[in-house]
Amino acid sequence: GCATTICTDKTGTLTTNEMTVRAVFMEEYDFTCTDAAQSLGDMIVKSLQRPSAEVLQLLANLVAVNTMDETIVRKDGTRSGNPTECALLQFVRDLGFDYEFIRNNTRGRSGVGALSEFLSEGKQMNFSSARKMMSWAVPLDNGGYRLYTKGAPEVVLKRCSRELVHGHADMPDNVRGKIHEMIEVYARRGMRTLGLAYRDFPKNTKITDIDENDMTLVALVGIEDPLRAEVPHAIEKCYRAGIDVR
């Protein structure tokens, strides 16, 4: 006899079983990596549409500061903690940043070394199923604060009045509509989508006065469990041989 159909599990068999950032919409450009053998971060670094170094640093700072200490992505590739946060931290690594260095050298966020005594100067706003977002405020050198936020895209977008495009841009209805379209595009691809935003507060702001409104949208990220690099070619060979893969 001969085989006509292969029935296979998906998660961990066809896929890597690791949540991974595979798309990001920032500065009104959709970066989507379809090459299973390449990371999105590597694709962006090599792209002609690569965002400025300042924007990428802001993105890296946002992720490094506004993730939990219990979420760890080790340099050997092993992970522990929240799978979504692991995906974000690996994305930062793939962009060429060291999230641990950023976190440990941010006043109001670092819990190690000389900066640990200033940890109380920061403010964490925890994630909950009701809020659907998480934020962390840290002091700036000028005496103000910077708030970093991540969460459900529709929730974060409602609290944003600007989009980051070559500086702080306004967000007219047509731009807001385009962002909503990208949220839907990522959802149709089966991706878990997050919105990333920030806001700077001026000097003399009290930490108790910081709120998660009037923010600037930095990016939308699309996270999925991607196919293993060898899978597309293997499935193509099956189809050429007349074998269905289900």
Side-chain angles (χ1 to χ4, degrees):
C2 61
T4 58
T5 303
I6 296 176
C7 296
T8 177
D9 181 40
K10 178 185 176 183
T11 303
T13 302
L14 298 182
T15 67
T16 63
N17 198 26
E18 284 189 343
M19 298 303 290
T20 305
V21 178
R22 297 300 285 171
V24 61
F25 179 75
M26 58 191 307
E27 296 201 302
E28 299 195 334
Y29 190 86
D30 173 30
F31 296 92
T32 297
C33 186
T34 57
D35 184 352
Q38 185 181 34
S39 71
L40 176 64
D42 181 60
M43 189 199 83
I44 291 174
V45 168
K46 296 177 180 177
S47 171
L48 295 176
Q49 286 79 29
R50 171 181 173 167
S52 67
E54 291 77 14
V55 170
L56 292 179
Q57 183 69 65
L58 173 62
L59 177 64
N61 291 350
L62 194 160
V63 171
V65 169
N66 194 30
T67 43
M68 301 299 295
D69 290 342
E70 293 80 8
T71 301
I72 300 171
V73 176
R74 300 172 185 84
K75 293 181 179 178
D76 63 2
T78 58
R79 304 175 172 193
S80 59
N82 182 279
T84 298
E85 289 196 338
C86 283
L88 293 172
L89 293 175
Q90 184 60 58
F91 176 48
V92 167
R93 276 250 173 93
D94 293 338
L95 285 170
F97 298 96
D98 184 337
Y99 79 85
E100 291 177 298
F101 178 85
I102 294 171
R103 184 183 294 167
N104 293 339
N105 286 275
T106 299
R107 184 166 175 148
R109 179 62 181 88
S110 175
V112 299
L115 288 179
S116 62
E117 64 179 290
F118 305 109
L119 182 59
S120 62
E121 294 182 2
K123 179 182 180 180
Q124 182 186 6
M125 303 173 198
N126 290 325
F127 175 88
S128 72
S129 57
R131 284 168 33 79
K132 296 184 179 179
M133 62 180 181
M134 168 186 172
S135 299
W136 208 304
V138 293
L140 295 171
D141 292 339
N142 66 3
Y145 284 90
R146 173 165 288 181
L147 176 74
Y148 295 115
T149 298
K150 74 176 188 297
E154 65 279 2
V155 173
V156 172
L157 184 57
K158 284 181 181 178
R159 293 171 177 264
C160 290
S161 57
R162 295 170 296 278
E163 179 193 13
L164 186 64
V165 183
H166 309 301
H168 292 182
D170 290 330
M171 193 182 288
D173 289 341
N174 63 319
V175 172
R176 192 176 292 272
K178 183 177 180 181
I179 295 169
H180 274 294
E181 288 177 8
M182 289 308 306
I183 294 173
E184 293 175 2
V185 167
Y186 288 174
R188 286 196 297 269
R189 294 177 188 169
M191 292 180 168
R192 180 180 300 172
T193 308
L194 290 178
L196 308 178
Y198 84 106
R199 177 183 172 185
D200 285 342
F201 290 81
K203 186 177 179 180
N204 297 324
T205 297
K206 296 180 180 178
I207 196 167
T208 53
D209 293 334
I210 293 174
D211 61 67
E212 299 157 303
N213 292 298
D214 194 28
M215 296 186 291
T216 298
L217 184 71
V218 177
L220 300 174
V221 294
I223 301 172
E224 66 180 4
D225 182 8
L227 292 174
R228 295 181 182 273
E230 64 272 18
V231 166
H233 179 63
I235 292 179
E236 183 183 351
K237 287 179 67 177
C238 289
Y239 286 156
R240 286 203 304 265
I243 301 172
D244 287 334
V245 180
R246 300 180 188 276

